[in-house]
Amino acid sequence: MTPSHLPGIAVISCCMNRNDNLKQALSNWLQFPDIKEIIIVDWSSERPVSQTLAHLTDPRLNIVRVEGERHWILSYAFNLAASLASEPTLLKLDADVLLHPNFFQQHPLPPHHYWAGNWQTAKAGCLSGVLYIHRQDFFAVNGYNEFIRTYGWDDMDLYQRLDHQPHLRRGDLDTHTTSVLDHSPTLSFSKQSLQVAHPDLQHHLSRRLLVKEREFQNRKNKYISQAYPWGTDYQRASYQNQGSYLTRIKEQEYPIPNAVLAQAEHQALYDCLRFTYSVLPSQPSSPTSLLSDYLQQVFASLKTSGQLPESISLSPDEEKQFYYEALKQTPHCSYLYGALGQHFLRHNQPELGLRANLHALQYNPSQEQPYHVVFHQLSTPSP
């Protein structure tokens, strides 16, 4: 199928405070004449996308703003964008993805076929979410799982459900036909809701050991999607037209019981700690240390009771050793440096606290406010 004979293509994309990247990406997408429409859902960006793109008059561009959303929810936003498209094929792109000239030549789309990014081969995380599919096939599985409301697993869940459709065949996108604009690694998550259901986890020692916070959310959503398999029995989110914008009818959102959320967090915590620190649930020959002892307590408690153990009581020297041991295995972890900085502050060692906080900022600039608390306690801070 040559580009001149492609079916009408609708690009669907969504934006929450990624206006500058979207502006650059759009100049790329508009170069393809076979893209017949571009649906942009502005998910309550602080600066409306319509203002950023006011200079564009291309009739293919349709910007729809949703007001009143505090957090980015991919499943809601992209399901809405797909429902607004009128062309028979959908190309789902994040706001910072660029198409190379040969993209459509390399990805013909016959009936009963779809193309999707593969996280194992994608050059960047967002490229694993690129999806090129017939619109009817997308809605045959009811789109994205709207029980997934934080970062992660939304694409994997959708692809798994598509792969269970007997008439569909998947192809992995050619990674050489797309690229991604440079952007802050924390930008994508600045509007994520990272609340946890477990009443103790937020301030528990285990929380400080979740060095792969994104992976924790990813695995949490995996278990939520297993508890609530998405399909056509569910109604997608509804919206009210307020004239110049839409508002989501939040009262119709399907609730997820706290018990289910907490269980998903238990399982995600178990996975992340085990993988991050290379400690298996039963490893009798492992060297004795405060860190490994504590991890064994976490694993045993989660496995037997589904509950976190009580926070361990440590002396100042033991607590410092605890963080040192964790940092040996994950030396680029902002959480642990931040916790170590707070430890030094509590024990009147502000210079060491400053150094730890500077390391935390180096590895996670988005946490500037909490990690900079030490600066206000020093009259003449020095690294």
Side-chain angles (χ1 to χ4, degrees):
M1 183 180 293
T2 63
S4 60
H5 294 91
L6 289 172
I9 299 165
V11 166
I12 58 172
S13 190
C14 303
C15 177
M16 190 177 198
N17 299 332
R18 287 175 138 189
N19 301 36
D20 291 338
N21 280 347
L22 177 62
K23 182 178 178 180
Q24 295 182 63
L26 266 172
S27 65
N28 167 259
W29 303 342
L30 290 170
Q31 296 175 20
F32 292 85
D34 288 291
I35 293 177
K36 302 301 184 184
E37 64 178 340
I38 300 176
I39 308 294
I40 305 295
V41 168
D42 177 5
W43 197 256
S44 300
S45 297
E46 293 170 9
R47 183 190 182 197
V49 170
S50 58
Q51 294 181 14
T52 302
L53 305 180
H55 63 291
L56 293 176
T57 59
D58 195 300
R60 294 176 290 173
L61 183 59
N62 180 16
I63 303 170
V64 178
R65 181 170 174 84
V66 177
E67 288 276 18
E69 297 292 341
R70 295 179 55 199
H71 302 295
W72 167 242
I73 308 177
L74 181 147
S75 58
Y76 287 151
F78 273 100
N79 278 352
L80 173 61
S83 71
L84 297 171
S86 58
E87 296 298 330
T89 60
L90 302 176
L91 176 57
K92 180 257 186 183
L93 299 173
D94 285 343
D96 48 14
V97 173
L98 303 179
L99 302 176
H100 295 188
N102 64 338
F103 178 86
F104 291 109
Q105 288 93 333
Q106 293 297 109
H107 302 101
L109 192 65
H112 313 307
H113 192 95
Y114 79 100
W115 296 93
N118 186 330
W119 65 270
Q120 294 178 311
T121 58
K123 295 175 290 184
C126 61
L127 293 179
S128 64
V130 176
L131 174 67
Y132 186 32
I133 190 170
H134 293 282
R135 188 177 186 275
Q136 64 181 12
D137 292 328
F138 179 84
F139 284 113
V141 296
N142 209 21
Y144 288 96
N145 185 337
E146 294 189 1
F147 283 102
I148 297 179
R149 297 162 191 166
T150 58
Y151 164 82
W153 204 254
D154 33 58
D155 297 317
M156 288 295 297
D157 174 79
L158 174 62
Y159 301 161
Q160 287 178 355
R161 287 182 286 116
L162 289 170
D163 290 342
H164 281 95
Q165 297 294 300
H167 69 285
L168 272 182
R169 179 182 177 186
R170 171 181 173 169
D172 285 345
L173 278 166
D174 184 343
T175 59
H176 300 292
T177 62
T178 54
S179 56
V180 61
L181 293 166
D182 290 334
H183 64 280
S184 167
T186 61
L187 178 63
S188 305
F189 308 94
S190 61
K191 284 289 185 178
Q192 284 288 324
S193 172
L194 298 180
Q195 297 299 311
V196 292
H198 193 287
D200 300 326
L201 185 55
Q202 188 67 47
H203 303 291
H204 198 277
L205 271 172
S206 299
R207 181 69 169 187
R208 298 176 187 173
L209 297 184
L210 287 178
V211 297
K212 296 181 179 178
E213 178 72 31
R214 299 178 186 182
E215 185 61 21
F216 174 72
Q217 294 293 332
N218 191 57
R219 290 186 172 274
K220 173 182 174 180
N221 286 333
K222 172 185 176 181
Y223 294 121
I224 289 173
S225 68
Q226 290 175 354
Y228 293 98
W230 188 251
T232 54
D233 291 339
Y234 289 106
Q235 179 180 337
R236 298 188 303 276
S238 301
Y239 300 81
Q240 290 181 329
N241 190 334
Q242 306 291 349
S244 60
Y245 60 88
L246 303 178
T247 56
R248 181 165 59 90
I249 305 175
K250 298 179 182 179
E251 294 78 10
Q252 296 181 4
E253 182 176 80
Y254 295 110
I256 305 175
N258 274 354
V260 174
L261 291 173
Q263 181 60 33
E265 289 164 3
H266 294 157
Q267 293 175 284
L269 173 66
Y270 186 98
D271 289 348
C272 287
L273 293 180
R274 182 162 58 90
F275 296 148
T276 299
Y277 295 100
S278 303
V279 177
L280 297 176
S282 56
Q283 199 173 28
S285 61
S286 62
T288 300
S289 70
L290 284 170
L291 176 62
S292 61
D293 285 350
Y294 177 62
L295 290 174
Q296 295 299 336
Q297 291 180 42
V298 172
F299 297 143
S301 183
L302 290 176
K303 187 173 182 179
T304 58
S305 68
Q307 300 295 320
L308 286 167
E310 296 295 327
S311 297
I312 54 177
S313 176
L314 301 176
S315 69
D317 286 342
E318 288 174 328
E319 184 180 0
K320 183 171 63 175
Q321 180 193 348
F322 183 89
Y323 292 123
Y324 280 170
E325 291 182 12
L327 284 165
K328 285 179 183 178
Q329 296 190 48
T330 53
H332 306 301
C333 173
S334 62
Y335 287 159
L336 294 178
Y337 279 116
L340 183 60
Q342 294 303 312
H343 165 83
F344 285 131
L345 286 178
R346 289 195 304 272
H347 299 288
N348 300 314
Q349 295 178 287
E351 295 293 335
L352 291 175
L354 174 60
R355 294 182 185 180
N357 278 274
L358 287 174
H359 280 291
L361 280 170
Q362 176 184 352
Y363 296 120
N364 192 353
S366 70
Q367 294 297 311
E368 180 173 0
Q369 189 63 35
Y371 291 153
H372 263 148
V373 66
V374 68
F375 287 92
H376 303 297
Q377 302 187 23
L378 293 173
S379 56
T380 55
S382 60

